């Protein structure tokens, strides 16, 4: 376990397509994460397999992750019925997983394959990085990628600290309630003893 802890700073649930046509982009995102000592984790059908309900497994893995990463690739062509404009959309399952991550207050990082329309939800909760698959494009965005991943990591650490303090507060409150209850019993026993005399 120490080797794992030394090798990776954090683990990120990766939401992505499992189609072989998208492997190149998904592998690019996974390599970026490895480069920055972040373990890609939890993707049902890629990093995780189980006989249990896939949605429950996704939920549990997202909850266990430090943060949430999307490798957004083109899945569907959609057309706006009012203006006829067409665009390439990502899978609805990625939107569902992003909703779970948002509900668990996980920091969200999005890598977008050039030409993919993210919709409206994801751009409203995080910034994203568009990659065209070339080394020159990747090199030109290294500082932005580092900044975004570092921010997600720092936010996840802050959320962990906050959770620990909340738990300590609940324990302290429980301890005070127990102490107060014992004192109340002690006082009531003394009163009962005094009234017996």
């Amino acid at each position: 376990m120490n080797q794992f802890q030394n090798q990776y700073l954090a683990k990120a649930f990766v939401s992505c397509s499992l189609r072989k046509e998208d492997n190149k982009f998904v592998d690019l995102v996974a390599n970026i994460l490895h480069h920055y000592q972040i373990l890609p984790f939890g993707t049902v059908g890629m990093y995780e397999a189980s006989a249990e309900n896939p949605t429950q497994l996704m939920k549990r893995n997202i909850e266990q992750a430090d943060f949430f990463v999307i490798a957004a690739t083109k899945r569907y062509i959609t057309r706006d019925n009012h203006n006829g404009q067409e665009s390439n959309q990502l899978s609805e399952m990625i939107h569902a997983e992003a909703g779970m991550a948002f509900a668990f207050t996980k920091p969200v990082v999005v890598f977008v394959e050039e030409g993919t329309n993210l919709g409206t939800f994801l751009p409203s909760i995080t910034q994203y990085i568009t990659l065209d698959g070339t080394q020159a494009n990747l090199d030109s965005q290294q500082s932005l990628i580092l900044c975004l991943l570092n921010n997600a990591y720092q936010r996840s650490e802050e959320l962990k600290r906050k959770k620990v303090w909340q738990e300590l507060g609940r324990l302290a409150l429980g301890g005070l309630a127990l102490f107060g209850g014992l004192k109340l019993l002690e006082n009531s026993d003394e009163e009962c003893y005094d009234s017996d005399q």
Side-chain angles (χ1 to χ4, degrees):
M1 192 67 171
N2 287 340
Q3 182 182 3
F4 167 79
Q5 290 172 338
N6 291 337
Q7 188 176 3
Y8 294 103
L9 298 171
K11 60 182 183 178
F13 183 98
V14 178
S15 183
C16 62
S17 167
L18 300 178
R19 296 183 313 168
K20 67 178 182 178
E21 299 87 358
D22 296 324
N23 283 353
K24 186 176 179 184
F25 188 79
V26 172
D27 289 346
L28 172 63
V29 171
N31 288 337
I32 291 169
L33 296 176
H34 283 296
H35 177 76
Y36 289 106
Q37 296 178 287
I38 299 164
L39 178 68
F41 154 85
T43 311
V44 176
M46 178 180 277
Y47 299 115
E48 182 93 24
S50 174
E52 74 179 286
N53 179 322
T55 307
Q56 292 301 317
L57 185 57
M58 285 174 207
K59 183 180 172 186
R60 187 176 67 240
N61 288 349
I62 290 169
E63 191 172 15
Q64 291 174 3
D66 294 306
F67 55 93
F68 184 80
V69 173
I70 296 174
T73 54
K74 305 168 202 151
R75 181 65 177 259
Y76 302 111
I77 295 176
T78 59
R79 185 173 61 85
D80 187 310
N81 287 330
H82 296 288
N83 63 20
Q85 185 176 353
E86 291 186 349
S87 64
N88 294 305
Q89 299 280 332
L90 58 152
S91 165
E92 69 278 354
M93 189 54 75
I94 291 175
H95 286 293
E97 290 174 338
M100 288 182 205
F102 185 74
F104 284 124
T105 65
K106 298 292 178 181
V108 176
V109 175
V110 182
F111 294 96
V112 184
E113 179 183 31
E114 189 175 52
T116 305
N117 182 342
L118 288 178
T120 56
F121 175 67
L122 292 173
S124 72
I125 64 167
T126 189
Q127 292 180 324
Y128 58 90
I129 296 175
T130 302
L131 299 172
D132 67 9
T134 66
Q135 189 62 46
N137 173 257
L138 182 61
D139 291 344
S140 71
Q141 301 200 69
Q142 284 296 338
S143 61
L144 187 58
I145 291 169
L146 174 61
C147 184
L148 195 55
L149 291 173
N150 186 50
N151 178 269
Y153 173 73
Q154 295 301 327
R155 283 185 51 215
S156 73
E157 291 297 300
E158 181 183 319
L159 288 168
K160 285 182 204 173
R161 283 191 297 274
K162 191 175 183 181
K163 189 175 181 179
V164 166
W165 280 109
Q166 287 173 341
E167 193 58 38
L168 286 173
R170 276 194 285 272
L171 286 172
L173 189 59
L176 287 173
L178 180 63
F179 179 75
L182 291 174
K183 278 295 189 191
L184 187 62
L185 285 173
E186 184 180 292
N187 288 341
S188 68
D189 284 347
E190 287 175 8
E191 287 177 19
C192 289
Y193 180 76
D194 287 343
S195 65
D196 287 344
Q197 292 182 357

